[in-house]
Amino acid sequence: MSEAGDAKGVFASAAKKVKMGKRVEKALKEKAAASSSQEATEEDANKAPEPYTCIGHFDADFTELCRRAGLPPTEIPPVVLRAKRPGTPPPPDPKAKDPTPPEEPVDVAEEEPKPKTYVTKEKYSYFKPNIQVEMEHEEKPATVTEIYIRGWKIDDMMVDIFRNCFPTIEKLNTINLWNVGLTDKTLRDLAAIFPQCPNLKNVSIEGNPIAEEPWACLIGDDSLIVNLSLRHNEITDRGASGIGAALSTVTTCNKNLISLNLSHNKFSDVGAEAVVKGLRMNRVLLCLSLASNKITDKGAVKFGELLSRFPLTHEEVVERRKLLSDKGSPDRGTGKSPPPSRRAESKDRPGSVRSGSHLDKGDKKRDKSSKKKDSKKDKDEGAKGGTKKDDKWKKGAKAVMAGGSRSSIVGLNTSRHGSRASLVAETVNKTTKGKKTTSSKDKKGGAAPESESPDMVEAINPLLDSVESIDGQLWIPGNRSIINLNLSRNEIGEAGLKSLLLALQYQITLANLAPHPALKGLMRLSLGRNPIRADSEAYQKLQDLLLTRDPFYKPQAKSPDGEVQSLVG
């Protein structure tokens, strides 16, 4: 019995050990699985997520980029459609029959329906950050055309998000930022993003005072902005100096900006003079607003000199000579050296010195031949009534002055405009509409002598304009490309007013003597709310001249009976 009991005890202990071994093995397996899963989760956490590729849908791209940047869903600004004022319903037709049946008496006990003229929102929802957008088609998210951000701070993280999604919005043409707390860094980063947006033309950054005043970065050489508004930014003379230098220098010029709004800022005559200096060589800007600043008579006199005529500085004279030299010898611009002169090989006289008698004879012969050619050409043009090109430009100018829309000629200070080339192209289309166009080759296959459509206006360099020597200085005609100038709500008095009046009179005289198809001169000048007397003789003359400069002005004609009749109708 003892042996049997011992055997049972040994068997039980062995079975117990086997069970314990299985438990230990199971525990080890579970521990290994847990450690491996923990390592996998740690690797997933340390592994960088794949970069997100924007698809051009601003709402989806912006939300996903904010989520990846670590913003909680409740703090991501929603993208909403910009509210629009409802259109005015058409007036009822009194002759039409009313199809609606007579209204039944309404029970006073029933609850009246809520009015549809407003929408109620949650408390404080109006103050929550959001991004307002306008679309060409509300059902198509890829047709965002305008973006408005108002009243919340754009920090570095938000600029990085915009850097990824703005360039992919194909139809984006307007960005409006109001009171968004921009800094020097964020403004420069945004200025670097704007050229990457293919169709961005209108930029408005208002209510963002920056101590460094880096506003000139928005008007760089690579800037595609056509209309720029910088109101209420507390721009001083320092910022105005940078803007003036960005508009143009002796060798550079911004070629896209046609409308600039600098109203409601804080620069004085020094800043105005800097802007004037930037417009000496700029013939692209059409509309300029400097309203509500601190400009006095001194600044107005500078604008009068800019609009009439001014002397060239030494740097401008040197650059003019370079341009004329390159224009006279095309090989200079290409870097090719001119062919060696035979005279240079002679030992008795240097190549740079010519005989006076030989020079006089050659000049006399050239003068005689050129006079004959010019007189013959003038006779031919007089017989034909002018060249085709001049006639077409005259027709185009008449179309601009009479047939164009007001917004396309004068009111370019609004938010949506075209460029100077589009204005000329519109004129060309109007003048050539209905005419039979000829192909580049005639019926026999030869090249046509001249196309029917007039040439487009090329870039104008004022340094190559005609000059007049006065007291040892070279004077050139002033800036006639500006057609809309706003100097209202400043401190301009009678002296500044007289200077602007003389400038306008000079432009009118020059336009009559030497008309230019593109440079029409000032058409609108705003001087309201300046310390100027309403009964001022100079002010009345200025208003009368501006009335005739209006493209839609039609003088009153006399009837056969001698009574004056208005042609406006």
Side-chain angles (χ1 to χ4, degrees), residues 308-312 317 320 462-463 465-477 506 510 513:
S308 56
R309 60 177 180 174
F310 52 83
L312 295 179
V317 171
R320 171 183 165 82
L463 290 177
D465 207 341
S466 59
V467 297
E468 185 178 358
S469 179
I470 302 176
D471 295 335
Q473 290 182 315
L474 296 180
W475 292 65
I476 64 172
Y506 178 84
L510 188 61
L513 295 176

Side-chain angles (χ1 to χ4, degrees), residues 144-339:
V144 173
T145 57
E146 301 179 15
I147 293 178
Y148 295 82
I149 301 176
R150 297 172 176 269
W152 55 275
K153 184 177 178 61
I154 295 179
D155 53 10
D156 293 337
M157 181 186 67
M158 199 59 62
V159 171
D160 291 337
I161 293 173
F162 292 155
R163 182 181 289 108
N164 292 323
C165 57
F166 275 179
T168 60
I169 308 175
E170 183 179 356
K171 296 182 179 295
L172 180 63
N173 59 60
T174 300
I175 293 179
N176 189 304
L177 307 177
W178 177 79
N179 193 18
V180 293
L182 294 178
T183 62
D184 177 65
K185 182 179 183 304
T186 53
L187 179 66
R188 292 183 184 276
D189 292 341
L190 285 174
I193 298 172
F194 292 158
Q196 303 175 20
C197 304
N199 294 313
L200 182 62
K201 303 299 180 186
N202 311 307
V203 173
S204 177
I205 301 178
E206 302 175 352
N208 288 276
I210 301 176
E212 295 81 1
E213 301 190 37
W215 305 108
C217 65
L218 298 169
I219 320 176
D221 294 338
D222 58 344
S223 174
L224 302 177
I225 299 175
V226 175
N227 305 290
L228 178 62
S229 178
L230 298 175
R231 300 185 303 169
H232 297 282
N233 288 323
E234 299 182 6
I235 301 175
T236 62
D237 296 334
R238 176 186 176 186
S241 300
I243 292 173
L247 287 174
S248 75
T249 61
V250 179
T251 56
T252 62
C253 177
N254 181 283
K255 297 180 176 61
N256 294 310
L257 189 67
I258 66 172
S259 175
L260 178 61
N261 193 340
L262 297 175
S263 61
H264 297 276
N265 285 293
K266 294 184 177 181
F267 56 83
S268 62
D269 294 329
V270 177
E273 187 173 353
V275 175
V276 167
K277 185 178 179 181
L279 293 175
R280 287 169 65 95
M281 299 295 120
N282 187 300
R283 296 297 182 268
V284 180
L285 192 71
L286 301 181
C287 299
L288 175 64
S289 177
L290 299 175
S292 296
N293 280 283
K294 300 177 181 179
I295 302 173
T296 64
D297 288 337
K298 184 178 179 181
V301 169
K302 292 296 181 181
F303 272 100
E305 296 173 358
L306 171 72
L307 297 173
S308 56
R309 60 177 180 174
F310 52 83
L312 295 179
T313 62
H314 175 69
E315 295 179 358
E316 292 168 347
V317 171
V318 172
E319 184 64 22
R320 171 183 165 82
R321 290 174 180 172
K322 289 180 181 179
L323 293 174
L324 291 175
S325 178
D326 294 341
K327 188 178 180 181
S329 56
D331 291 339
R332 291 177 182 267
T334 58
K336 298 179 181 179
S337 59

Side-chain angles (χ1 to χ4, degrees), residues 41-49:
T41 53
E42 289 178 357
E43 289 179 359
D44 293 339
N46 295 329
K47 186 178 179 181

Side-chain angles (χ1 to χ4, degrees), residues 9-21:
V10 172
F11 181 77
S13 62
K16 188 176 181 180
K17 289 181 180 179
V18 171
K19 289 182 180 179
M20 288 295 295

Side-chain angles (χ1 to χ4, degrees), residues 12 18 55 138 158 166 206 208 237 311 317 333 350 380 431 433 450 462 483 489 491 496-497 510 538 541:
V18 171
I55 58 176
E138 295 183 3
M158 199 59 62
F166 275 179
E206 302 175 352
N208 288 276
D237 296 334
V317 171
D380 294 340
T431 56
K433 188 175 181 181
E450 185 180 358
I483 61 176
R489 297 186 297 277
E491 301 171 9
L497 179 63
L510 188 61
K541 288 183 178 179

Side-chain angles (χ1 to χ4, degrees), residues 53-71:
T53 303
C54 296
I55 58 176
H57 296 180
F58 178 64
D59 189 359
D61 293 340
F62 177 75
T63 304
E64 179 62 23
L65 290 172
C66 288
R67 187 186 66 80
R68 288 173 175 252
L71 283 177

